Amino acid sequence: MNKTFHITTFGCQMNEHDSEIMAGLLIEKGLDRVDSIEEANIEILNTCSVRENADKRFFGTLGQLKNRHEKDQDFLVCVCGCMMQQQPVIDTLKAKYPWVDIVFGTHNLHTLPELLDKVIAEKSKIIDIWPDADTIAEDLPAERLFKHKALVNIMFGCNNFCTYCIVPYTRGREKSRRPEAIINEVKALVKDGVKEIMLLGQNVNSYKGHNDDADSNYTSFSELIYKLNEIEGLERIRFMTSHPKDLSDDLIQAFKDCNKLCKNIHLPVQAGSNAVLKRMNRVYTKQHYLGLIDKLRKAVPDITISTDIIVGFPGETEEDFQETLDLVNRVEYDSAFTFLYSIRQGTPAEKYEDQIPEEIKHERFNRLVDAVNTISEKKNAAYLGGIEKVLVEGRSKNNPFALSGRTDGFKLVNFSAAGTSFENNPDALIGQTIDIEIIGTKTFSLEGRIV
Ligand code: 5AD
Ligand code: SF4
């Protein structure tokens, strides 16, 4: 088959990784990946449904493909990802976009090659959505975005049912991969040049992997970290996302014991008011969360901490919002992702009556972003003059002559190879961990110089 494909990915790192797997499957099948939709015979839109604007962007992008699809008989359009696990979306596609060739979901993405064969052979259209999956498809190839770092799924789905969140409905119940499958995958990645892995799951702290060896039952998340820490050649282990309710003392201990586990944690708090946390079904209080931060900082004084915060959840009063600001000021996050609450169809919070008017949401959002950025700037300023070990990732996005990489604590560092022995071949540094002196700091990044 002489075909080219392109994948547009919306949403989180799980989706990024799903796209890497689909690319791996198609390349294995002999297709070529191209850089733009225009050059592609097959376009795949991998959707996200966590907030409303991702939905809107998907339908906008899809609408733009209609013209070409009408004119070009060989152009196939496939849509997949979280949005497809929602019946109202499927109904909309059937009614308004019947020309889409393949519609599939999050539980059957590994069947993409067969679906394509069928549609091409039969000149048909397919909608194939699995409500859930009993087993986890293993040994799937992946075409990685980066040579030296890799995303590794350790579990799928979520059992938490936070009242604002669509994920438990689109990704199903929690399922953990077997530890042996994860360890083998990481060993193979290391052989292929990978230095850093990011372990992925909606809620990694509740990882519970069934061991192949029947005598020893299950491997917990912290036990998995200890096992991965032993893999020779691997330099860095990261993970996301953790739920504060399941953050164990064992994991905090792992930060002390495992030299490869990066001193960085993303610990979504969502809100600072106990009343709001309760209505969100987060099952912890502000005090409990602050206690966890204390414990983490006592165990690992230089740990960097980031979070997710939702502004304008139904019923949020100014006093509730002040609790969020107070929490942000007390924790002093290195960075925070801030979101305007967005109603998701089918979630309990959709039915909550006291939705917050848009202007109030935006006004609170702006105040929160100011607070978060002021702290990020201050936190970064403390790195000035220090020396950091930076794993070089590639050319800097904004300046092609500069390189960029990440510190152990996940700080983005931009630096130039000019004036060094790498001046004529800066790419030789990619994948290496080098000492960088921090000579400038900004809100979202650091500037450095090779030592
Ligand atoms: N509205 C706004 N933000 C949301 N998130 C999840 N669902 C919603 C929603 N309905 C945010 C949470 C989560 C992050 C991935 O997205 O903060 O941690
Ligand atoms: Fe959504 Fe809550 Fe599960 Fe995270 S833990 S995916 S916010 S339901």
Side-chain angles (χ1 to χ4, degrees):
M1 194 160 44
N2 183 20
K3 292 258 181 200
T4 55
F5 72 92
H6 175 264
I7 307 179
T8 303
T9 310
F10 299 90
C12 66
Q13 280 172 313
M14 293 258 175
N15 261 22
E16 278 303 337
H17 190 46
D18 283 351
S19 291
E20 289 183 343
I21 291 172
M22 289 190 280
L25 289 164
L26 296 182
I27 288 170
E28 208 172 66
K29 201 173 161 57
L31 279 74
D32 292 322
R33 192 190 356 220
V34 289
D35 293 331
S36 69
I37 301 183
E38 290 71 33
E39 298 164 83
N41 304 124
I42 301 168
E43 170 65 12
I44 300 164
L45 301 179
N46 187 6
T47 65
C48 165
S49 55
V50 86
R51 283 174 298 277
E52 194 186 3
N53 57 356
D55 279 30
K56 283 193 182 142
R57 276 167 51 221
F58 160 64
F59 281 116
T61 312
L62 185 59
Q64 285 170 13
L65 300 178
K66 188 176 181 197
N67 245 339
R68 159 127 185 251
H69 193 269
E70 267 170 11
K71 289 192 200 117
D72 181 351
Q73 292 292 313
D74 294 328
F75 182 50
L76 296 180
V77 174
C78 314
V79 299
C80 61
C82 289
M83 281 179 75
M84 305 309 134
Q85 297 296 140
Q86 298 171 271
Q87 193 54 43
V89 173
I90 300 299
D91 296 341
T92 305
L93 285 171
K94 281 184 185 159
K96 296 194 183 154
Y97 305 85
W99 49 269
V100 171
D101 298 286
I102 306 179
V103 182
F104 58 108
T106 54
H107 302 291
N108 61 335
L109 101 179
H110 57 284
T111 66
L112 174 61
E114 294 141 50
L115 296 174
L116 264 178
D117 281 345
K118 196 153 188 258
V119 160
I120 291 169
E122 298 173 6
K123 293 201 183 315
S124 58
K125 308 221 178 281
I126 294 183
I127 297 180
D128 188 15
I129 309 293
W130 298 5
D132 209 333
D134 301 332
T135 54
I136 297 175
E138 288 292 353
D139 299 320
L140 300 175
E143 187 65 17
R144 291 195 307 276
L145 216 52
F146 290 92
K147 194 169 175 339
H148 302 285
K149 58 176 193 176
L151 303 169
V152 177
N153 287 325
I154 64 165
M155 60 186 301
F156 302 89
C158 183
N159 293 351
N160 290 325
F161 292 94
C162 301
T163 54
Y164 51 81
C165 187
I166 196 77
V167 168
Y169 310 92
T170 61
R171 293 266 172 183
R173 293 298 69 72
E174 282 175 8
K175 279 186 276 297
S176 294
R177 284 179 74 191
R178 289 179 302 106
E180 287 82 2
I182 297 167
I183 290 162
N184 288 341
E185 178 174 336
V186 174
K187 282 185 179 161
L189 287 167
V190 170
K191 244 190 200 157
D192 196 36
V194 166
K195 304 272 171 64
E196 173 179 315
I197 53 164
M198 169 74 89
L199 306 175
L200 294 179
Q202 301 297 344
N203 184 13
V204 290
N205 302 120
S206 54
Y207 173 81
K208 200 173 172 205
H210 204 289
N211 296 340
D212 282 357
D213 166 5
D215 294 339
S216 54
N217 301 322
Y218 291 101
T219 295
S220 70
F221 181 55
S222 51
E223 286 164 350
L224 180 69
I225 302 259
Y226 281 87
K227 288 181 186 176
L228 292 169
N229 196 58
E230 312 236 302
I231 295 178
E232 216 172 298
L234 182 65
E235 288 180 19
R236 287 179 172 183
I237 303 170
R238 301 186 189 280
F239 60 86
M240 77 185 309
T241 294
S242 306
H243 194 302
K245 80 174 169 53
D246 304 313
L247 184 76
S248 66
D249 289 345
D250 291 353
L251 181 64
I252 296 176
Q253 186 60 38
F255 276 112
K256 292 170 92 170
D257 295 341
C258 300
N259 63 326
K260 294 175 185 175
L261 183 59
C262 290
K263 295 182 176 45
N264 165 245
I265 189 164
H266 184 67
L267 197 61
V269 68
Q270 312 298 2
S273 145
N274 288 340
V276 172
L277 287 170
K278 190 153 194 220
R279 281 201 304 278
M280 287 178 161
N281 190 30
R282 291 292 290 180
V283 230
Y284 55 82
T285 60
K286 178 186 185 183
Q287 293 68 28
H288 177 77
Y289 185 91
L290 288 170
L292 287 176
I293 300 289
D294 266 356
K295 261 196 208 171
L296 279 164
R297 289 211 164 115
K298 276 209 184 88
V300 194
D302 52 347
I303 194 165
T304 55
I305 303 175
S306 60
T307 199
D308 292 344
I309 301 170
I310 298 176
V311 177
F313 186 73
E316 183 190 73
T317 62
E318 175 61 26
E319 289 70 40
D320 290 325
F321 177 65
Q322 288 297 333
E323 293 282 342
T324 298
L325 286 180
D326 177 62
L327 180 126
V328 163
N329 287 322
R330 287 210 213 177
V331 176
E332 300 204 307
Y333 291 106
D334 288 271
S335 64
F337 295 98
T338 47
F339 305 106
L340 291 161
Y341 169 69
S342 138
I343 298 183
R344 303 287 64 208
Q345 257 182 41
T347 62
E350 179 199 7
K351 304 272 181 332
Y352 291 3
E353 274 168 10
D354 36 6
Q355 301 286 335
I356 306 296
E358 285 303 309
E359 327 78 80
I360 296 183
K361 271 197 225 170
H362 281 269
E363 190 270 330
R364 286 181 191 160
F365 182 84
N366 292 340
R367 276 190 281 156
L368 177 64
V369 170
D370 283 347
V372 161
N373 287 353
T374 305
I375 296 166
S376 298
E377 200 176 328
K378 179 179 118 184
K379 285 260 155 181
N380 281 353
Y383 286 78
L384 192 67
I387 292 182
E388 289 287 319
K389 293 231 173 295
V390 171
L391 175 55
V392 185
E393 291 184 352
R395 297 285 181 112
S396 159
K397 262 196 200 138
N398 304 324
N399 174 359
F401 298 106
L403 291 159
S404 68
R406 298 259 176 195
T407 66
D408 184 285
F410 207 58
K411 300 271 178 192
L412 179 66
V413 185
N414 294 308
F415 62 96
S416 168
T420 71
S421 54
F422 291 94
E423 188 169 48
N424 295 322
N425 184 18
D427 287 348
L429 285 171
I430 297 173
Q432 291 195 39
T433 303
I434 57 174
D435 283 336
I436 298 279
E437 183 192 358
I438 305 305
I439 55 170
T441 67
K442 297 179 176 173
T443 310
F444 304 112
S445 65
L446 307 175
E447 275 169 62
R449 162 169 70 206
I450 300 176
V451 174

